[in-house]
Amino acid sequence: MEFLLEIMTEELPSSHAKSALAQLEEKFPQEMKTSGLEIFELRAIGTCRRLVLIADLGERQPDQEEIVTGPPRTAGLAPDGSFTQAALGFARSQGVEVDNLQVIKTARGEYLGFKRLKKGKSTPEILEEKLPALIAALNFPKTMRWSDKSFRFSRPIKGLLCLFGGQIVRVSLEGLVASNQTYGHFIHSPQELSVHSYQEYCQALKEKFVLVDPAERKEKILEGFQKKLISLKAQVYPDERLLERLLWNVECPLVIMGSFPETYLSLPLEVLSTAMREGQELFSVVKGKKQLPYFLGIADAPADPKGYILAGNERVLKARLEDARFFWENDLKISLAERAEQLAEVIFQEKLGSYADKVARVEKLASYIADRLNLRNLKKDLLEAVSLSKADLLTEMVREFPELQGKIGGIYAHRQGWSETVSRAIYEHYLPASWEDPVPDSTGGAILSLADKLDTVVGISGTGYAISGSSDPYGLRRNALGVVRIILDKKFHLSLYRLIDRSISLLQKKLSLPAEQVKEACLELIGGRVRFIFEKRGYSYDLISAALAPGLDYLDFTEARIKALNNLKSSKNFEQFILMVKRVKNILKEAPKSRLDPTWLSEKEEKELYSALNIIKKNAEEMMARGDFVGAQKIIFRLQAPLNNFFDRVLVMAEDKKIRHNRLALLAQVQSLIEQLADYSQIVVTSESS
Amino acid sequence: MMNMQNLILALSDYWAGQGCYLAPTYDLEVGAGTMTPDTFFRVVGRKPWRVAYVQPSRRPTDGRYGENPHRVQKHFQFQVIMKPSPLNIQRIYLDSLVSLGINLSEHDLRFDEDDWESPTIGAWGVGWQVMLDGLEITQFTYFQQAGGLELFPVSVEITYGLERLEMFLEQKDNIYDLKWSDDVSYRALRFREEKEFSIYNFEQADIAMLQSAFNADEKEAQRLIGQKLLLPAYDYCLKCSHLFNLLDARKAISVTERVKMIGQIRTLVNQIARLYAEEEGES
């Protein structure tokens, strides 16, 4: 039967609304299933003002047999088998005939008791019992209290609607009792509405200017954009995050398009689009990469009959652009080089010193990276870029719009006559700032960004700070992710271990932890990000663990290893090979370490394994050194035949201790070669799981 | 017929009708209506409280020498506190806009996520900025903490930006074109003040004098806390806060000093709030 729940709230932040729905979608079915109710066709939709859950639920819990135990057998039955007073009292208190008592065996011993059929609860009863706790347990990054209630939620809850099979379920929460009433758009139709089914609910709300389904709202917005843009042959400057936010903030989306005076087009696109987005939540309109003097906005209204909405937005935007121009003109009066001199006054992090200190470290680190990558020609420009990179933190524009940091520095540098390479590198050096962001396009930007981020990761980790849960105020995860993505995407062949060592030595006096511990913390953090990226790329968990085992030194090689594993995993040798590797590992598990003495090899098969190993090892190591992990893996598969023969014909656990140890040492050499490629024992194969 | 004066009268009338006591403007420089004793002390403790008042708000760094059409170093706020927050407070607020003659069905009104915090007075709250056709006209906050204390029951704070709202009502693009009354313009009242104070705030304020005044006032606040004279002590904290803002406008504060000075004021304010709450609890 149809179940419908609506939690009416004051305006939730869009991220909170989405997360609450995701939690309901996960937890509600679990609750219902543990209560023994069947559940089908669950949907969670909503807006900033309502969280809605719809499902098809079973009508009641199945009846259950219940065992009720009373006194221990010894106390309940007299030696002659008759019931004692204790048994009679128990039967009376339970309202059963004493003859119905029987001996029941439990883990604690034997008791007198009886079985009875416990009637399953009806679904409304279960909902009344479970829903309040489920709603109260929703998690939000920040919660609040209101009025004189001790209850906490993201924003105040205004009402509840709950129906099962068209009937009201009187769920109660903090003084509110659910009814069958909701309300339409808070401005355009705030009156209460009574509904009896989901279909009626959607229909009624649609008539009262509310689209409950985010997918419908999105479609309406995108259609609206299309209609407005078609005659201009223009595009909206893409901003998924803004679109996603607005999608949840409005119940009745209305697309408006307005314009602003062309004189503001002298401001760069980055400044214009930021001024539009921040505070006013408008999209800029572009043709190719050129800004047009238009904007798109999303209002929460059925129409703009008198044009007030459009005119109001145009007026506000003009004032904002006027302000942006004030910052732009003031900022350009002072050169970035002059500003950079004041960075000693700006603290990067309490223990790690000023931005001037950071810039000095990043210069050395960037220079080191350029040397390692044989990019000496780039060094002059690169170092100029580093020295100017943080100067824009002192501009009015960044003070007003912090997310323009870097970009605006690059634009000012270009304006002030610095080379394209220098200004590009500054412009791009915060990239990637999020998972969606690309890595810097220019090599200079990539090196600057890598050095800057690594300095932050090493420095912050070195102060003893560790991320806990969702709290990551220094953006350690984001910075570590940036380090990994730049090295991988730009195909930088760099020793990460040495890079971290170098960064540690530059920071040394400022770090509170010993170097080894800092390095370990950084590698754990970075390893976690590598894993995250590989998972996003669709590699399976076990392959990732296998490929990461040999280490993270050259990340391009780590990537080549997972690619090779993934390529070969469907080849026919793969599974047999892995079983073989596991066998070797098992045998070696408790074996003492010993040295191999080839003169002690006596059997034909062990001699053959030894000579095959030597040839394969030489070839494979050459291949690995140049990053050919597919080739290396293929050649290592050739150990299979000699290993098979070895296991078939040679007794590893020979009685003679010296021979036994020698054979184990031979296998250890095989294993150490294989482990340079991957820890194959991590890989799950089908024949094992059955 | 609309002008600033009528707007103030209409809001005063409306909120008095909601049971608010109309407080006179506080006579010290503050950055926001939140900082005056009528809000700061009254949101602490269990006693119900309803108040509304106009408060000039001084933000020296926002000065633009009278040249920017909407930024000024002093603007006027209409501040409302209701404790505990009524359950239908959003509706009460919307009706206040209707009482100003705004036909909401012809506009786009939105409550946009905007949590508020003031590190100087150890306060934060959860709420929204209210946007009317893209213009922020009100800050709407459920106070969760002040003076470092968890607040219960929870007060709601509604702060209208009077100039913003009036620009909306008069459909003006320039703040100086607003009318204060039918005969007196905003320009006539305030233009010279904006220009002279911008010059003072950005160029002329004597840094050494401000710094020593800050230190003296901070010391005085501390001494008064020792005497349990909490309201006078709080006044000296407000003076420190304004001196800090002036030093900031003069760019005389490095980032480290900034954190340190804000911390100094907060420590005092938190002590005052704690002692005040203890005394309230006793009575």
Side-chain angles (χ1 to χ4, degrees):
Chain A
M1 275 210 277
E2 184 184 271
F3 161 73
L4 171 64
L5 172 73
E6 183 192 34
I7 307 166
M8 289 162 259
T9 63
E10 294 182 2
E11 287 73 3
L12 301 169
S14 55
S15 59
H16 291 201
K18 276 194 284 186
S19 130
L21 289 174
Q23 292 174 55
L24 285 172
E25 209 167 4
E26 188 197 329
K27 289 183 186 156
F28 178 71
Q30 289 172 0
E31 277 293 338
M32 293 301 105
K33 279 176 201 154
T34 40
S35 303
L37 285 183
E38 285 191 307
I39 174 163
F40 308 99
E41 294 175 48
L42 177 75
R43 281 191 79 199
I45 57 178
T47 73
C48 60
R49 297 193 191 95
R50 45 194 108 224
L51 303 171
V52 182
L53 206 53
I54 313 115
D56 185 359
L57 287 182
E59 280 179 51
R60 58 185 315 116
Q61 254 178 348
D63 298 338
Q64 272 170 337
E65 189 172 75
E66 185 183 47
I67 294 170
V68 185
T69 51
R73 175 198 168 129
T74 46
L77 285 180
D80 63 359
S82 65
F83 291 108
T84 65
Q85 275 306 318
L88 292 169
F90 169 68
R92 201 164 42 240
S93 72
Q94 293 293 325
V96 291
E97 291 295 325
V98 74
D99 293 339
N100 289 346
L101 297 186
Q102 54 191 104
V103 175
I104 290 166
K105 282 183 184 158
T106 75
R108 288 168 295 129
E110 289 184 330
Y111 288 81
L112 281 188
F114 62 95
K115 289 181 185 158
R116 70 176 165 202
L117 206 57
K118 194 181 157 205
K119 213 150 169 44
K121 288 182 186 163
S122 73
T123 300
E125 278 177 280
I126 292 171
L127 290 169
E128 280 173 30
E129 192 182 304
K130 299 284 180 189
L131 281 177
L134 189 70
I135 296 169
L138 290 175
N139 263 317
F140 298 99
K142 194 197 250 178
T143 59
M144 62 169 282
R145 294 194 291 192
W146 61 94
S147 196
D148 52 3
K149 298 180 184 303
S150 54
F151 190 72
R152 285 182 170 277
F153 207 67
S154 164
R155 291 292 185 276
I157 299 180
K158 292 202 291 193
L160 295 170
L161 176 153
C162 189
L163 296 176
F164 181 65
Q167 300 293 311
I168 297 171
V169 183
R170 305 235 172 248
V171 175
S172 71
L173 179 73
E174 278 300 305
L176 296 167
V177 180
S179 69
N180 65 345
Q181 298 204 311
T182 182
Y183 60 93
H185 192 277
F186 80 122
I187 298 282
H188 299 280
S189 189
Q191 301 80 7
E192 289 184 336
L193 303 164
S194 299
V195 299
H196 303 91
S197 68
Y198 175 56
Q199 199 197 353
E200 203 180 289
Y201 171 83
C202 286
Q203 189 56 37
L205 284 181
K206 208 167 267 182
E207 281 165 18
K208 304 298 179 190
F209 312 111
V210 177
L211 291 177
V212 194
D213 188 342
E216 275 185 63
R217 294 195 298 276
K218 186 165 187 173
E219 196 184 313
K220 195 172 169 208
I221 292 168
L222 295 178
E223 249 171 47
F225 281 177
Q226 197 83 45
K227 259 189 219 154
K228 298 281 184 191
L229 292 170
I230 202 153
S231 62
L232 285 171
K233 293 198 171 68
Q235 305 89 41
V236 52
Y237 187 65
D239 192 337
E240 270 302 315
R241 248 180 284 178
L242 178 58
L243 180 62
E244 194 59 28
R245 194 163 71 224
L246 285 170
L247 189 61
W248 288 89
N249 285 359
V250 301
E251 297 202 302
C252 180
L254 172 73
V255 171
I256 55 166
M257 185 164 81
S259 62
F260 58 83
E262 294 199 13
T263 83
Y264 296 113
L265 290 178
S266 63
L267 292 169
L269 172 61
E270 292 83 350
V271 173
L272 287 169
S273 63
T274 306
M276 287 183 209
R277 179 182 60 237
E278 292 310 310
Q280 227 183 326
E281 307 194 310
L282 300 174
F283 295 84
S284 52
V285 173
V286 294
K287 203 170 202 170
K289 284 202 160 175
K290 213 178 138 260
Q291 169 78 44
L292 301 179
Y294 298 100
F295 65 84
L296 286 166
I298 301 168
D300 190 8
D304 185 12
K306 301 202 170 158
Y308 290 152
I309 300 177
L310 181 60
N313 274 285
E314 284 183 338
R315 205 162 44 236
V316 179
L317 178 60
K318 198 180 142 204
R320 277 182 185 281
L321 294 179
E322 185 57 39
D323 231 23
R325 187 157 68 176
F326 173 84
F327 300 139
W328 170 255
E329 284 169 1
N330 269 359
D331 283 351
L332 281 171
K333 287 178 193 158
I334 299 172
S335 78
L336 282 181
E338 221 174 304
R339 287 192 198 277
E341 288 167 16
Q342 293 162 31
L343 286 173
E345 302 264 306
V346 186
I347 296 293
F348 161 58
Q349 200 270 350
E350 204 187 333
K351 290 181 183 159
L352 303 177
S354 70
Y355 270 100
D357 298 333
K358 185 180 202 347
V359 166
R361 292 192 301 266
V362 173
E363 270 174 351
K364 297 204 176 90
L365 207 53
S367 166
Y368 170 84
I369 296 171
D371 286 340
R372 293 275 83 74
L373 295 174
N374 290 317
L375 294 167
R376 291 187 181 80
N377 294 339
L378 185 66
K379 262 171 92 169
K380 185 172 157 292
D381 279 342
L382 179 62
L383 294 182
E384 272 172 3
V386 179
S387 72
L388 299 173
S389 58
K390 301 296 174 187
D392 68 356
L393 294 178
L394 292 160
T395 63
E396 307 245 356
M397 197 68 89
V398 171
R399 201 169 163 156
E400 181 75 9
F401 301 121
E403 66 279 23
L404 278 177
Q405 62 182 3
K407 287 185 181 174
I408 200 70
I411 293 170
Y412 288 151
H414 188 66
R415 276 280 181 139
Q416 292 170 351
W418 297 92
S419 75
E420 178 65 23
T421 314
V422 172
S423 38
R424 253 295 102 196
I426 299 172
Y427 185 99
E428 295 182 329
H429 88 276
Y430 285 97
L431 291 178
S434 67
W435 174 252
E436 292 79 21
D437 268 358
V439 301
D441 189 40
S442 70
T443 308
I447 296 176
L448 172 47
S449 177
L450 173 58
D452 183 22
K453 289 180 168 59
L454 192 74
D455 177 73
T456 301
V457 170
V458 173
I460 300 289
S461 304
T463 63
Y465 179 81
I467 306 170
S468 64
S470 61
S471 152
D472 183 10
Y474 298 108
L476 278 184
R477 285 197 195 91
R478 177 167 43 80
N479 278 292
L481 185 68
V483 167
V484 177
R485 281 189 54 203
I486 291 168
I487 293 177
L488 291 182
D489 291 8
K490 303 306 279 189
K491 306 203 183 318
F492 284 167
H493 186 61
L494 277 174
S495 162
L496 182 63
Y497 293 176
R498 266 176 278 160
L499 197 56
I500 291 173
D501 288 341
R502 178 86 186 141
S503 175
I504 291 174
S505 75
L506 290 169
L507 274 154
Q508 201 153 43
K509 284 178 206 139
K510 299 197 151 88
L511 301 182
S512 27
L513 297 181
E516 265 318 300
Q517 217 175 317
V518 178
K519 189 173 180 180
E520 203 178 300
C522 292
L523 285 172
E524 195 183 321
L525 186 63
I526 291 171
R529 299 298 89 188
V530 173
R531 198 170 261 289
F532 174 78
I533 290 173
F534 287 171
E535 278 169 20
K536 282 261 185 187
R537 292 186 185 170
Y539 295 119
S540 64
Y541 191 83
D542 55 337
L543 285 194
I544 298 174
S545 298
L548 255 51
L552 300 165
D553 195 7
Y554 287 88
L555 286 176
D556 50 341
F557 282 2
T558 309
E559 187 181 28
R561 286 199 299 267
I562 186 112
K563 280 186 177 161
L565 282 177
N566 200 50
N567 270 338
L568 296 175
K569 73 171 181 210
S570 47
S571 70
K572 64 178 191 318
N573 301 333
F574 197 67
E575 202 170 307
Q576 286 309 312
F577 181 73
I578 284 166
L579 293 174
M580 178 75 71
V581 172
K582 290 185 180 182
R583 187 171 178 188
V584 172
K585 191 171 180 171
N586 266 334
I587 291 173
L588 290 172
K589 209 177 272 169
E590 272 152 38
K593 274 206 176 133
S594 46
R595 263 174 54 89
L596 175 68
D597 183 347
T599 59
W600 276 81
L601 298 170
S602 54
E603 304 285 333
K604 175 171 158 264
E605 287 77 11
E606 59 181 334
K607 284 181 182 163
E608 277 173 4
L609 176 60
Y610 179 66
S611 75
L613 175 67
N614 280 329
I615 297 166
I616 290 171
K617 183 175 157 112
K618 186 167 173 290
N619 284 311
E621 285 182 339
E622 271 170 26
M623 286 171 169
M624 286 191 268
R626 47 170 207 270
D628 178 9
F629 288 89
V630 174
Q633 244 161 20
K634 279 186 176 158
I635 206 164
I636 281 179
F637 282 166
R638 294 196 202 154
L639 280 168
Q640 177 112 30
L643 265 173
N644 266 338
N645 292 335
F646 175 80
F647 280 128
D648 285 351
R649 307 276 167 75
V650 181
L651 183 64
V652 181
M653 293 304 174
E655 261 182 50
D656 182 328
K657 187 175 161 195
K658 194 159 182 194
I659 292 178
R660 187 165 76 231
H661 283 186
N662 206 45
R663 286 175 182 162
L664 286 169
L666 174 61
L667 285 177
Q669 284 203 357
V670 170
Q671 174 164 272
S672 96
L673 171 62
I674 292 171
E675 280 180 346
Q676 290 179 52
L677 271 167
D679 180 358
Y680 290 90
S681 69
Q682 302 266 359
I683 299 173
V684 181
V685 293
T686 40
S687 58
E688 272 184 327
S689 53
S690 56
Chain B
M1 79 126 234
M2 253 307 173
N3 55 43
M4 283 284 277
Q5 189 164 296
N6 285 337
L7 173 60
I8 292 168
L9 287 171
L11 287 174
S12 303
D13 192 40
Y14 180 83
W15 288 102
Q18 296 297 324
C20 289
Y21 131 77
L22 294 177
T25 290
Y26 201 59
D27 59 347
L28 279 187
E29 301 106 327
V30 290
T34 310
M35 301 177 88
T36 79
D38 267 315
T39 292
F40 181 78
F41 285 107
R42 303 295 182 160
V43 296
V44 173
R46 294 205 60 95
K47 289 180 196 154
W49 183 244
R50 292 187 173 194
V51 67
Y53 54 95
V54 174
Q55 185 65 43
S57 156
R58 297 219 197 194
R59 301 192 177 160
T61 46
D62 280 350
R64 294 288 183 273
Y65 299 86
E67 286 166 18
N68 186 287
H70 69 293
R71 277 217 198 193
V72 282
Q73 54 86 40
K74 180 168 107 182
H75 72 282
F76 294 86
Q77 294 183 338
F78 191 90
Q79 164 90 355
V80 179
I81 292 288
M82 293 191 120
K83 173 183 159 190
S85 66
L87 293 176
N88 60 340
I89 183 62
Q90 278 194 325
R91 190 50 62 187
I92 296 175
Y93 166 73
L94 291 176
D95 287 342
S96 78
L97 299 179
V98 174
S99 82
L100 301 176
I102 302 172
N103 180 353
L104 291 176
S105 67
E106 291 170 346
H107 297 279
D108 173 29
L109 186 125
R110 290 225 294 269
F111 286 85
D112 273 0
E113 172 188 7
D114 192 20
D115 295 343
W116 168 90
E117 108 180 285
S118 167
T120 322
I121 56 168
W124 66 272
V126 168
W128 311 273
Q129 48 180 347
V130 182
M131 310 291 288
L132 189 53
D133 297 344
L135 180 72
E136 183 198 343
I137 55 165
T138 305
Q139 189 76 35
F140 194 119
T141 307
Y142 290 99
F143 256 24
Q144 304 294 304
Q145 228 180 60
L149 300 176
E150 198 70 24
L151 301 180
F152 193 78
V154 170
S155 302
V156 65
E157 177 191 63
I158 296 175
T159 306
Y160 301 83
L162 286 172
E163 285 89 341
R164 296 271 186 89
L165 195 49
E166 185 59 21
M167 283 170 88
F168 175 86
L169 291 168
E170 290 188 41
Q171 301 209 17
K172 293 272 170 61
D173 291 346
N174 191 324
I175 195 168
Y176 297 103
D177 293 341
L178 295 176
K179 290 191 286 186
W180 193 279
S181 69
D182 284 349
D183 311 315
V184 181
S185 73
Y186 197 87
R187 179 181 299 276
L189 276 179
R190 302 232 39 255
F191 181 76
R192 180 175 177 150
E193 186 187 349
E194 278 301 314
K195 196 170 161 183
E196 291 197 358
F197 269 98
S198 293
I199 297 172
Y200 171 74
N201 297 339
F202 289 132
E203 301 165 33
Q204 285 298 327
D206 183 329
I207 294 175
M209 184 277 282
L210 293 173
Q211 255 154 359
S212 74
F214 181 93
N215 293 335
D217 288 351
E218 198 239 339
K219 229 169 149 183
E220 184 68 345
Q222 209 143 35
R223 189 178 71 81
L224 292 170
I225 291 172
Q227 301 293 317
K228 294 260 178 109
L229 293 172
L230 302 180
L231 279 89
Y234 185 69
D235 267 11
Y236 278 91
C237 292
L238 292 182
K239 286 176 204 267
C240 284
S241 165
H242 182 61
L243 291 165
F244 168 83
N245 288 343
L246 285 173
L247 285 163
D248 191 29
R250 288 286 275 127
K251 296 205 161 77
I253 306 175
S254 73
V255 179
T256 0
E257 281 173 311
R258 159 185 293 275
V259 177
K260 190 178 131 231
M261 289 169 84
I262 291 178
Q264 276 176 311
I265 306 175
R266 185 175 52 238
T267 308
L268 295 171
V269 169
N270 287 357
Q271 285 177 32
I272 294 171
R274 205 184 57 240
L275 292 170
Y276 183 85
E278 281 169 14
E279 288 177 18
E280 283 288 284
E282 280 166 21
S283 59

